Amino acid sequence: MVLCVFTTRFTRNATGAEPFQVNVDGLKANDVIPKKFVYNQAGCSGDNLSPEISWNGVPASAKSLALVVWDQDAPVSGGFYHWLI
């Protein structure tokens, strides 16, 4: 599985404001997920640890945030949603 992190296009900050970013400790964009974060069942053999997630630059007008981790390469039809936070 490859991790892709996207920032939303509809979020706009005032001039000079910090851009919205999602940071996942221990993962790099478009890289293979390290074994320590891989599930340890259903044919997978990882440590099943959750990475630390942080964010910054959230616009003051934001009412909520959502994080979806979708695995388009999962061996099931249509991919697999790992997390919905």
Side-chain angles (χ1 to χ4, degrees), residues 2-31:
V2 174
L3 173 73
C4 296
V5 177
F6 300 96
T7 56
T8 57
R9 295 163 89 191
F10 59 84
T11 301
R12 296 180 189 217
N13 290 328
T15 303
E18 184 178 22
F20 178 70
Q21 294 181 330
V22 175
N23 305 299
V24 184
D25 192 40
L27 300 178
K28 295 178 184 174
N30 301 316
D31 202 359

Side-chain angles (χ1 to χ4, degrees), residues 43-67:
C44 299
S45 58
D47 296 331
N48 200 31
L49 298 175
S50 295
E52 183 176 327
I53 301 170
S54 62
W55 49 86
N56 57 329
V58 177
S61 62
K63 301 212 186 296
S64 61
L65 299 174
L67 174 65

